Amino acid sequence: MRGPKSWSFTKLVAGFTLLELLIAMAMGIVVMSGVVSVLVVSKSNYVTERELATLQENARFALKFLTEEVQMAGFNGCNDNALNIANSVNFSSADAWYLQGVGLQGFEEFTDETGRLTFPDDFEDAASYYSDAIVIRRGEQSGLRIAPGPPYHNPNSANIPLNGAHDIKPGTIMVISSADCQQTGVFQMSGPTNTTNNATNIVHNTGRGLNPGNCTKNLGGNFNCGSGTSSGSTYPPGSSLMRMSSQAFYIGTSAVGDGIPALFRMILSLDEANEAAIVNSEELVQGVELMQISYGVDLVGDDGLADQYMDASNGSMDWDAVVSVRINLRMRSIYGVYSDNVVYGEFMGIADTDISDRFMRQIIGTTIQLRNR
């Protein structure tokens, strides 16, 4: 007998020819090239949109910050400027930009080292070429007023009784305005010397090693130390008292990153340990490359309207007559976003501010009406 029949199966194995492999590889390369291209374009668009958003956010912050400060220039607790300003603080007009009596003052851009001398010493070396600077001086609202009394303000003892407790420290530069808004005084607080934050008076005496100190107890009349006429004016109950705020805004180079432009401010501060008025610089926002400022001056009728806009260097400029400020900024992206150089023309007609590079730039501006003019 024969055994069971054995069967043999042959499996057919499918394969690719060389031509098919080449076609598949070519199709894969085409697809991958498309994917890579989409990714590159998406990343480029993302970077561009991110830089545009950052630029616009920085621009809004810069303009908002500058607007709020400029609007309050010259504030002293009154709606109008006082007829007389008595500045009893020892200072030199050459180096104490933060203690002068004018509420607003501008400085014109410079193009060489000689031009730097027109800027205050404290920030002339840090300020960038081709950009203006502006100084804002005002009082900071505090709610402090001279108490109804007795006792009353006594210029001989240099003592000012207040309507409440305060935490202000000796050495602070202060502004006092009479209740009728006819007289304003600027002085450096000399006491009381306790630091318990519950004092109910302020002293404006001379001596005590304050820096720069007071040249006189007098807070009446119209004078700066060494010039003008002073008097021992008594401030009546209801007169307001506040810290003095002095800020200088200028364009410099950011401490973060290489060559990134930024808006800076230098502010009046206090060294408590030495009871000294000092200034500190701080970086506000990156991407502000250039700043140009012009000032609306009320020349006719004293109606609070700008009759002409002038630069800070104009020989006819009267800072007391400035009623509005026009600020223009050229913003720059933090990083380059374009694959090729983009040409930008001169900013506000200023020579040598044209440029060609891969950064994004926009020009923004605003006109600000001063509230205290």
Short mmCIF file of all heavy atoms in Angstrom, two decimals, residues 14 33 40-41 59 93 107 114 150 161 163 169 182 187 213 226-227 233 268 299 329 341:
data_model
loop_
_atom_site.label_atom_id
_atom_site.label_comp_id
_atom_site.label_asym_id
_atom_site.label_seq_id
_atom_site.Cartn_x
_atom_site.Cartn_y
_atom_site.Cartn_z
N ALA A 14 6.15 38.63 -2.84
CA ALA A 14 6.12 39.84 -3.67
C ALA A 14 7.33 40.71 -3.35
O ALA A 14 7.78 40.81 -2.21
CB ALA A 14 4.83 40.62 -3.43
N SER A 33 10.12 67.15 1.63
CA SER A 33 10.50 68.53 1.30
C SER A 33 9.33 69.47 1.57
O SER A 33 9.51 70.59 2.10
CB SER A 33 10.93 68.63 -0.16
OG SER A 33 12.08 67.85 -0.41
N VAL A 40 9.39 75.22 8.09
CA VAL A 40 10.25 76.41 8.05
C VAL A 40 9.41 77.67 7.94
O VAL A 40 9.64 78.66 8.64
CB VAL A 40 11.23 76.31 6.88
CG1 VAL A 40 11.95 77.64 6.67
CG2 VAL A 40 12.25 75.20 7.12
N VAL A 41 8.40 77.63 7.05
CA VAL A 41 7.53 78.80 6.88
C VAL A 41 6.74 79.07 8.16
O VAL A 41 6.59 80.21 8.59
CB VAL A 41 6.58 78.60 5.69
CG1 VAL A 41 5.54 79.72 5.64
CG2 VAL A 41 7.37 78.56 4.39
N ALA A 59 5.55 98.93 22.73
CA ALA A 59 5.17 100.29 22.31
C ALA A 59 4.03 100.81 23.16
O ALA A 59 4.04 101.97 23.60
CB ALA A 59 4.79 100.28 20.84
N SER A 93 22.64 124.06 39.65
CA SER A 93 21.83 123.84 38.45
C SER A 93 22.56 122.99 37.42
O SER A 93 21.96 122.41 36.53
CB SER A 93 21.44 125.18 37.82
OG SER A 93 22.60 125.92 37.47
N PHE A 107 15.55 117.81 26.67
CA PHE A 107 16.93 117.89 26.23
C PHE A 107 17.00 117.33 24.80
O PHE A 107 16.51 116.23 24.55
CB PHE A 107 17.85 117.09 27.16
CG PHE A 107 17.82 117.59 28.58
CD1 PHE A 107 16.91 117.07 29.49
CD2 PHE A 107 18.69 118.60 29.00
CE1 PHE A 107 16.87 117.53 30.80
CE2 PHE A 107 18.65 119.07 30.30
CZ PHE A 107 17.74 118.53 31.20
N THR A 114 30.55 116.12 21.87
CA THR A 114 30.35 117.49 22.35
C THR A 114 28.89 117.70 22.73
O THR A 114 28.58 118.35 23.74
CB THR A 114 30.76 118.49 21.27
OG1 THR A 114 32.12 118.28 20.93
CG2 THR A 114 30.57 119.91 21.76
N PRO A 150 -4.18 124.32 67.19
CA PRO A 150 -2.72 124.49 67.35
C PRO A 150 -2.03 123.17 67.67
O PRO A 150 -2.72 122.24 68.07
CB PRO A 150 -2.61 125.49 68.50
CG PRO A 150 -3.84 125.23 69.32
CD PRO A 150 -4.92 124.82 68.35
N PRO A 161 3.11 120.68 61.57
CA PRO A 161 2.20 119.69 62.16
C PRO A 161 1.25 119.16 61.08
O PRO A 161 0.74 119.92 60.25
CB PRO A 161 1.45 120.50 63.22
CG PRO A 161 1.46 121.90 62.69
CD PRO A 161 2.73 122.06 61.91
N ASN A 163 -2.00 116.35 59.65
CA ASN A 163 -3.32 115.84 60.02
C ASN A 163 -3.33 114.34 60.26
O ASN A 163 -4.38 113.76 60.55
CB ASN A 163 -4.34 116.18 58.92
CG ASN A 163 -3.99 115.51 57.59
OD1 ASN A 163 -2.84 115.09 57.38
ND2 ASN A 163 -4.96 115.42 56.69
N LYS A 169 10.85 109.36 55.64
CA LYS A 169 12.12 109.34 56.34
C LYS A 169 12.91 110.63 56.10
O LYS A 169 12.78 111.27 55.04
CB LYS A 169 12.95 108.15 55.88
CG LYS A 169 12.30 106.79 56.12
CD LYS A 169 12.08 106.53 57.60
CE LYS A 169 11.64 105.10 57.86
NZ LYS A 169 10.31 104.79 57.33
N GLN A 182 -1.10 129.81 46.29
CA GLN A 182 -0.30 130.95 45.89
C GLN A 182 1.19 130.74 46.15
O GLN A 182 2.02 131.47 45.62
CB GLN A 182 -0.76 132.20 46.65
CG GLN A 182 -2.20 132.60 46.36
CD GLN A 182 -2.42 132.91 44.89
OE1 GLN A 182 -1.84 133.83 44.34
NE2 GLN A 182 -3.26 132.10 44.24
N PHE A 187 11.78 121.43 49.95
CA PHE A 187 12.78 121.33 51.01
C PHE A 187 13.16 119.87 51.21
O PHE A 187 12.49 118.95 50.71
CB PHE A 187 12.25 121.92 52.32
CG PHE A 187 11.06 121.18 52.89
CD1 PHE A 187 11.23 120.14 53.80
CD2 PHE A 187 9.76 121.52 52.51
CE1 PHE A 187 10.14 119.46 54.32
CE2 PHE A 187 8.67 120.85 53.03
CZ PHE A 187 8.85 119.81 53.94
N GLY A 213 20.96 118.97 51.72
CA GLY A 213 20.61 119.84 52.84
C GLY A 213 19.81 121.05 52.42
O GLY A 213 19.61 121.32 51.23
N GLY A 226 20.66 130.77 46.95
CA GLY A 226 21.68 131.60 46.34
C GLY A 226 21.14 132.65 45.39
O GLY A 226 21.88 133.53 44.96
N SER A 227 19.85 132.59 45.08
CA SER A 227 19.27 133.60 44.18
C SER A 227 17.81 133.78 44.51
O SER A 227 17.15 132.89 45.05
CB SER A 227 19.44 133.19 42.72
OG SER A 227 18.70 132.01 42.45
N SER A 233 7.65 132.52 55.21
CA SER A 233 6.22 132.33 55.02
C SER A 233 5.67 131.22 55.91
O SER A 233 6.29 130.17 56.08
CB SER A 233 5.94 132.00 53.56
OG SER A 233 4.56 131.78 53.36
N LEU A 268 14.59 110.12 41.24
CA LEU A 268 15.04 110.63 42.53
C LEU A 268 14.68 109.62 43.61
O LEU A 268 13.55 109.14 43.69
CB LEU A 268 14.36 111.97 42.82
CG LEU A 268 14.61 112.60 44.20
CD1 LEU A 268 16.08 112.95 44.38
CD2 LEU A 268 13.73 113.83 44.36
N LEU A 299 1.73 130.63 23.33
CA LEU A 299 2.39 131.92 23.12
C LEU A 299 1.42 133.09 23.15
O LEU A 299 1.82 134.23 23.40
CB LEU A 299 3.13 131.92 21.77
CG LEU A 299 4.23 130.86 21.61
CD1 LEU A 299 4.76 130.89 20.18
CD2 LEU A 299 5.35 131.09 22.60
N LEU A 329 8.15 107.66 18.82
CA LEU A 329 9.09 106.60 19.11
C LEU A 329 9.29 105.71 17.88
O LEU A 329 8.32 105.44 17.16
CB LEU A 329 8.59 105.71 20.26
CG LEU A 329 8.22 106.39 21.58
CD1 LEU A 329 7.66 105.36 22.54
CD2 LEU A 329 9.41 107.10 22.19
N ASN A 341 17.92 92.01 4.34
CA ASN A 341 17.92 93.35 4.93
C ASN A 341 16.74 94.17 4.44
O ASN A 341 16.36 94.09 3.26
CB ASN A 341 19.22 94.08 4.59
CG ASN A 341 20.40 93.54 5.37
OD1 ASN A 341 20.23 92.77 6.31
ND2 ASN A 341 21.60 93.93 4.99
#
